[in-house]
Amino acid sequence: MLSFPRFRSATTARICGAMVLLSCLTAGAPTAHAQGTQADYQRAAGLRQKLEGKVVGTVPDITWINSSRLWYTVDLGQQRRRYTKVDAATGTKSELFDAAKLAVELQRLLSNPVDPQRLPLERLAVTAESADLLITGTTRTVRLNRATGELKEVPIQEVPAFLLEGSTLPRKGASTAIIIQNRTDAEAELFWLGGDGRKSYGKVGPGQVRRQHTFGGHRWAIVRADGSTAFEGAAVDQPAVVLVQAKDSPKAEPDGKVAPAAKPTDAAAVSKPAAQPKRERRVLVRDSNLVLVESGSENPLTTTGTPEAGYAGPIEWSPDRTRFVARFVTPAQKHPISIIESSPPDQVQPRVHTFDYLKPGDVIGVSKPRLFDAERVVELPLADELFPTPWAIDRLKWQADSSGFSFVYNQRGHQIQRLVGISRDGAARSITTEAPDTFVDYVNSTFLHRIEATGEAIWMSERDGWRHLYLLDERATTPESSLKARITRGSWVVRGVDRVDEANRQIWFRAGGIHPDQDPYYIHYARVNFDGTGLVLLTDGDGTHTVEYSPDQKYLIDCYSRADMAGVVELRRTDTGKLVSTLEKADWSPLLSQPWVPPQRFVAPGRDGATPIYGVIVRPTNFDPSRKYAVVEHIYAGPHSAFVPKAFDPHLGTMQDIAELGFIVVQIDGMGTAHRSKAFHDVCWKNLGDSGFPDRIAWLRAAAAAHRELDLTRIGIFGGSAGGQSALRAVLAHGDFYTVAVADCGCHDNRMDKIWWNEAWMGWPIGQHYAEQSNVTNAHRLTGKLLLIVGELDKNVDPASTMQVANALIKADKDFDLLVIPGAGHGAAETAYGRRRRADFLVRHLLNVEPRKAP
């Protein structure tokens, strides 16, 4: 039997009776179509595995051999693969190797049957002449001569591309392995580095090779017999090799040979004493003060530093070594919070965890630059009128001619961001200033690249209402004269800069909305000159894109997809952006041979009746268009990004799992989220309680009008973290529309959560708007059904925030459910237990209930 703590009133808190079994939820239902049955739960639990591998023609990896050749793998389904090479100049495709012939050779080597379409190859490293192949599930590597087809086994350490150290492969969590070769004469021990410390995974004997399963991103350490660390790092998404060397041995070359030591050219070179390096000035930080060291003598520079507030590095010298900048640091206040681990695994008694956690309004650490003349051994006056109350001062850099330096000043409250220039004598000026009426989106809209040779800088700004790039003259004396050129412009946004080519004065960047007929959240790639001319769109397919450039940047591989379209892979030129060849198109038709409904993109006007709002609709795989379905919204309205899925995935995670229980699930990016216009984003300013609900409600009504299966008499909502805050807000401020909410680990009062995230959008100093939008102060407005979930060990959002909401609800005599999960951290609703309880709650209160009047 399943049970929930349920609070009836301030005076009669009690544990509710056992939950009605799922079979009882549908007994006597008014329709013949029971929902939320055990069969639905079972289907949801196995759906991802059932859909896995059903999309064929996907390209899991692409690798450039050189600037004119590349190769990739094509997944043909049922563990079948094709290996393809491409001539970049023509787009001509051919087999990377003769798969049938290779299968025969592998069968001879492995003494096992080998299917040419299912070659047991786990990782490949390809050159123009050969291909090194790691045999699946083993540590054995074979080398294929691509010209002759000859195959021979080689030691795995002879394949430099397989070494973990220095690998550029992704670390996204794929099932993988690390392969340890112990090249010492003693045992080495392997440790997994987890959140609770390190755990031994056994030993690797001297001279032995061992394969250890792991996941990309998991961290490991290998410790020699003497206790020294031979390796520490993260696994990558393909099997990779770690060589364990003796502690003092010379670094081995990839083929296993020891690099020869450098030899002197003659005997005189051995006996001649080494030339003494020229003495240079240096600065020490000692007891929070600065000491100048020159020619062996020490000269105190400061005496005012104390343990409470004093001088610190880094010491940043002018190129001519006559001036330097240090920092004067005033530390932040302490704000300890304590959480109780009720059921630690190693003891009976609870354990208290206390850690420092700054919250909005707290005193923050302040680090300000101080300028010194090293020749006169004095501090130079540096007025701070242009940077009085910093949240941060960073990216400090001297001009090449030592005439001064500059830095980025982000003012606390985030309403001013400034590029400040300081002369070598301490005179300060504003090179450029961002001072909007609302906030500077420093999370997404900060970019600075200096061109040292010309004294120019590339700067990102939303000053015209869109996120764009500008070319500045850092040596200019006024902000008005500093602007040299607008680099990008238009009703679209720069999503990121990939490369600044100073030699050709070009910028390679990502953009959103640059194709006006497409979803503005789709990422496209482009190139533009420093002066704003020569804009070249490098991608154009209707979808969201990722690219891989050739080593010489003349070509790119463009991979794109949509929520409702499987992936396409194209080869394109970068000089014109023109298509060379469409290499592959994934095929989702095998999904249609079984119950599956593709997600649907949907667009409708928001609160103003004009601005397009984008979302996605997810239906159950046994969808019946003649029926009505309760609607559940998955919400996350954090202003730091946008969240509706854009790339193709046949299984959209939690949304699909909940849809399988008999719901239609939606996700929407309302106003206040990022990556649209400045006005779109500004809705969140001092207004996180808005959460885009007026847009969401308008979108849902439009979706229901277009798709009659959406039943707006039964609308639920769920979310975690900021989404938990918004989910509860839905039934406090919009209870006439949303009737059921599950709020996980919410930051329900922005004064209770971490300082940076909340001050970024709610501002500083703390105003009355913090209290006005708090779920705690609005708890008395609750209507409908509410489940609060929290992990007792949440170190991301103070779990007391959820308990304060519970306290306010009890005082307001409101019914609600509360689930505290012992030992769980942030995102407790995403644990196996939390997911099931969330689903049960939505089923219990939304399915097969008497319909209410449509909102």
Side-chain angles (χ1 to χ4, degrees):
M1 300 290 282
L2 305 175
S3 64
F4 282 84
R6 185 173 181 83
F7 294 87
R8 294 292 182 183
S9 71
T11 57
T12 59
R14 66 179 178 83
I15 302 298
C16 75
M19 276 186 60
V20 180
L21 290 173
L22 292 175
S23 59
C24 297
L25 286 170
T26 57
T31 72
H33 303 285
Q35 296 173 308
T37 65
Q38 191 63 34
D40 293 331
Y41 277 81
Q42 291 172 346
R43 188 176 63 257
L47 187 58
R48 177 174 286 280
Q49 185 175 5
K50 184 179 179 181
L51 298 177
E52 189 173 338
K54 294 299 189 294
V55 180
V56 300
T58 61
V59 179
D61 50 56
I62 298 171
T63 304
W64 287 91
I65 301 172
N66 51 43
S67 293
S68 59
R69 298 285 188 274
L70 65 131
W71 70 273
Y72 59 85
T73 307
V74 182
D75 187 343
L76 301 176
Q78 299 178 336
Q79 299 182 326
R80 295 174 301 136
R81 287 172 290 179
R82 167 166 50 86
Y83 299 89
T84 300
K85 65 179 179 180
V86 181
D87 182 321
T90 63
T92 304
K93 300 191 298 183
S94 57
E95 285 189 330
L96 178 63
F97 41 67
D98 186 328
K101 186 175 179 179
L102 178 57
V104 171
E105 292 296 308
L106 286 173
Q107 184 168 313
R108 175 185 57 79
L109 185 69
L110 302 175
S111 302
N112 288 314
V114 175
D115 183 340
Q117 289 192 321
R118 297 178 176 84
L119 296 172
L121 308 180
E122 195 169 13
R123 185 172 177 184
L124 285 70
V126 181
T127 67
E129 297 79 25
S130 65
D132 291 319
L133 317 172
L134 176 63
I135 306 300
T136 301
T138 74
T139 62
R140 298 177 68 181
T141 303
V142 294
R143 180 165 293 163
L144 172 69
N145 184 310
R146 294 178 55 205
T148 66
E150 178 187 0
L151 197 69
K152 65 176 181 178
E153 194 157 0
V154 296
I156 195 168
Q157 69 270 17
E158 291 189 13
V159 184
F162 289 176
L163 296 179
L164 179 55
E165 289 187 296
S167 175
T168 59
L169 288 173
R171 294 171 167 86
K172 296 181 179 179
S175 178
T176 182
I178 57 171
I179 297 169
I180 305 101
Q181 187 193 50
N182 185 358
R183 305 178 78 175
T184 73
D185 57 3
E187 288 184 326
E189 190 165 6
L190 178 63
F191 293 91
W192 178 69
L193 306 179
D196 298 325
R198 65 183 195 175
K199 177 182 178 182
S200 175
Y201 268 69
K203 296 184 178 181
V204 184
Q208 291 186 352
V209 178
R210 172 180 161 184
R211 179 186 174 104
Q212 173 62 52
H213 176 264
T214 186
F215 295 91
H218 282 209
R219 294 189 64 81
W220 294 86
I222 303 172
V223 177
R224 302 182 184 92
D226 65 1
S228 62
T229 300
F231 168 82
E232 182 175 324
V236 294
D237 284 356
Q238 292 186 30
V241 178
V242 176
L243 301 180
V244 181
Q245 308 276 19
K247 186 175 181 180
D248 300 320
S249 66
K251 184 176 178 62
E253 295 180 326
D255 64 359
K257 298 177 181 178
V258 174
K263 295 181 180 180
T265 55
D266 53 42
V270 177
S271 59
K272 185 178 179 180
Q276 294 297 313
K278 183 180 179 180
R279 294 187 180 274
E280 290 189 344
R281 298 172 176 138
R282 59 192 179 97
V283 171
L284 304 178
V285 178
R286 182 182 296 154
D287 298 329
S288 300
N289 281 291
L290 303 178
V291 177
L292 178 67
V293 181
E294 186 173 14
S295 300
S297 63
E298 295 187 355
N299 295 300
L301 280 168
T302 66
T303 58
T304 57
T306 68
E308 291 73 31
Y311 293 88
I315 307 300
E316 297 177 89
W317 285 92
S318 62
D320 64 7
R321 306 292 289 185
T322 64
R323 302 283 196 276
F324 70 88
V325 177
R327 303 286 183 129
F328 192 86
V329 177
T330 303
Q333 73 171 80
K334 298 294 184 182
H335 190 145
I337 65 172
S338 297
I339 55 180
I340 298 176
E341 184 179 9
S342 64
S343 312
D346 58 342
Q347 64 186 48
V348 174
Q349 299 303 318
R351 177 179 287 121
V352 177
H353 298 264
T354 300
F355 53 95
D356 205 46
Y357 185 102
L358 290 185
K359 297 185 178 184
D362 283 349
V363 176
I364 65 171
V366 174
S367 173
K368 286 190 177 183
R370 297 288 185 91
L371 177 62
F372 293 84
D373 183 328
E375 294 186 319
R376 291 188 289 154
V377 196
V378 295
E379 180 177 357
L380 300 174
L382 181 56
D384 67 355
E385 287 86 353
L386 292 177
F387 48 100
T389 54
W391 171 263
I393 291 177
D394 57 18
R395 295 173 229 201
L396 188 150
K397 186 174 179 61
W398 281 89
Q399 293 282 354
D401 62 1
S402 299
S403 60
F405 61 94
S406 63
F407 55 80
V408 177
Y409 166 67
N410 180 1
Q411 184 162 293
R412 188 170 185 185
H414 311 298
Q415 289 194 271
I416 292 177
Q417 183 164 268
R418 178 177 287 133
L419 182 58
V420 178
I422 308 291
S423 75
R424 64 183 282 109
D425 295 320
R429 70 190 189 283
S430 171
I431 299 170
T432 191
T433 296
E434 308 297 327
D437 293 334
T438 54
F439 64 98
V440 176
D441 179 16
Y442 78 97
V443 175
N444 296 296
S445 300
T446 297
F447 178 80
L448 172 64
H449 178 92
R450 297 178 173 97
I451 301 101
E452 188 172 296
T454 60
E456 294 169 307
I458 297 165
W459 177 259
M460 184 177 284
S461 169
E462 292 184 295
R463 62 186 60 177
D464 76 343
W466 301 88
R467 191 189 310 156
H468 282 300
L469 298 173
Y470 296 78
L471 182 66
L472 304 180
D473 179 359
E474 272 208 287
R475 297 170 182 169
T477 57
T478 66
E480 294 75 20
S481 63
S482 71
L483 179 61
K484 295 188 68 173
R486 292 196 55 169
I487 300 174
T488 60
R489 66 176 69 221
S491 300
W492 50 273
V493 298
V494 174
R495 291 289 299 268
V497 175
D498 294 324
R499 186 166 69 98
V500 177
D501 181 350
E502 295 184 11
N504 293 304
R505 295 182 68 81
Q506 292 178 333
I507 300 170
W508 302 62
F509 66 97
R510 285 161 279 133
I514 199 166
H515 289 285
D517 57 336
Q518 296 186 25
D519 184 325
Y521 298 96
Y522 290 161
I523 292 178
H524 283 273
Y525 289 73
R527 187 184 67 250
V528 68
N529 296 328
F530 280 11
D531 62 3
T533 64
L535 176 65
V536 177
L537 303 184
L538 302 174
T539 61
D540 62 16
D542 188 8
T544 194
H545 296 246
T546 61
V547 306
E548 179 73 27
Y549 294 100
S550 63
D552 62 3
Q553 306 286 313
K554 290 184 178 180
Y555 301 95
L556 63 83
I557 296 296
D558 175 19
C559 304
Y560 69 95
S561 68
R562 296 193 304 265
D564 59 356
M565 184 190 79
V568 177
V569 181
E570 296 178 342
L571 173 65
R572 308 181 75 90
R573 295 184 61 89
T574 60
D575 55 352
T576 62
K578 297 297 184 182
L579 177 70
V580 177
S581 176
T582 298
L583 299 179
E584 304 292 339
K585 287 187 176 181
D587 178 13
W588 72 10
S589 59
L591 287 169
L592 302 178
S593 65
Q594 56 193 314
W596 179 75
V597 180
Q600 179 191 356
R601 297 177 295 140
F602 189 79
V603 186
R607 69 186 75 187
D608 59 4
T611 303
I613 302 298
Y614 291 77
V616 66
I617 300 172
V618 180
R619 295 173 173 86
T621 57
N622 61 355
F623 173 67
D624 180 350
S626 68
R627 290 172 52 187
K628 286 280 192 178
Y629 289 82
V631 179
V632 174
E633 180 181 351
H634 178 204
I635 188 169
Y636 194 94
H640 56 282
S641 192
F643 306 97
V644 172
K646 299 300 175 183
F648 180 73
D649 187 337
H651 184 278
L652 289 178
T654 298
M655 287 195 290
Q656 189 69 61
D657 291 340
I658 290 178
E660 285 304 291
L661 304 182
F663 298 101
I664 287 177
V665 182
V666 303
Q667 189 169 12
I668 308 157
D669 282 322
M671 293 185 186
T673 51
H675 308 317
R676 299 281 291 274
S677 68
K678 175 68 172 161
F680 190 100
H681 202 187
D682 278 349
V683 171
C684 77
W685 176 238
K686 298 185 177 181
N687 190 32
L688 288 183
D690 179 275
S691 293
F693 280 120
D695 310 302
R696 299 169 189 280
I697 292 169
W699 186 96
L700 280 161
R701 285 176 170 151
H707 303 284
R708 297 294 182 179
E709 66 270 19
L710 275 71
D711 181 2
L712 295 193
T713 69
R714 298 177 293 161
I715 307 175
I717 190 167
F718 75 93
S721 195
Q725 177 184 16
S726 297
L728 175 50
R729 181 74 175 183
V731 288
L732 299 183
H734 303 280
D736 58 335
F737 191 82
Y738 299 93
T739 60
V740 179
V742 181
D744 173 38
C745 59
C747 40
H748 296 292
D749 187 314
N750 296 105
R751 296 167 294 184
M752 284 288 291
D753 190 30
K754 66 192 74 65
I755 187 171
W756 81 264
W757 195 89
N758 295 273
E759 286 195 7
W761 322 113
M762 294 291 279
W764 174 87
I766 306 304
Q768 186 60 32
H769 60 287
Y770 274 82
E772 290 170 351
Q773 294 175 60
S774 165
N775 287 343
V776 177
T777 56
N778 287 282
H780 63 280
R781 301 172 61 190
L782 176 66
T783 60
K785 305 298 182 181
L786 169 66
L787 169 60
L788 296 171
I789 302 177
V790 68
E792 68 174 6
L793 294 182
D794 193 337
K795 294 185 178 181
N796 187 330
V797 174
D798 188 343
S801 188
T802 295
M803 303 311 292
Q804 289 179 358
V805 170
N807 180 52
L809 290 168
I810 292 170
K811 289 181 177 179
D813 199 23
K814 296 291 183 178
D815 283 1
F816 68 100
D817 288 59
L818 172 66
L819 174 61
V820 180
I821 302 184
H826 195 60
E830 301 308 323
T831 63
Y833 188 84
R835 289 195 301 269
R836 180 61 182 251
R837 301 293 80 77
R838 176 177 60 198
D840 289 344
F841 192 83
L842 294 169
V843 165
R844 179 153 59 107
H845 292 296
L846 283 174
L847 298 187
N848 304 311
V849 296
E850 289 295 325
R852 62 179 178 135
K853 184 178 179 181

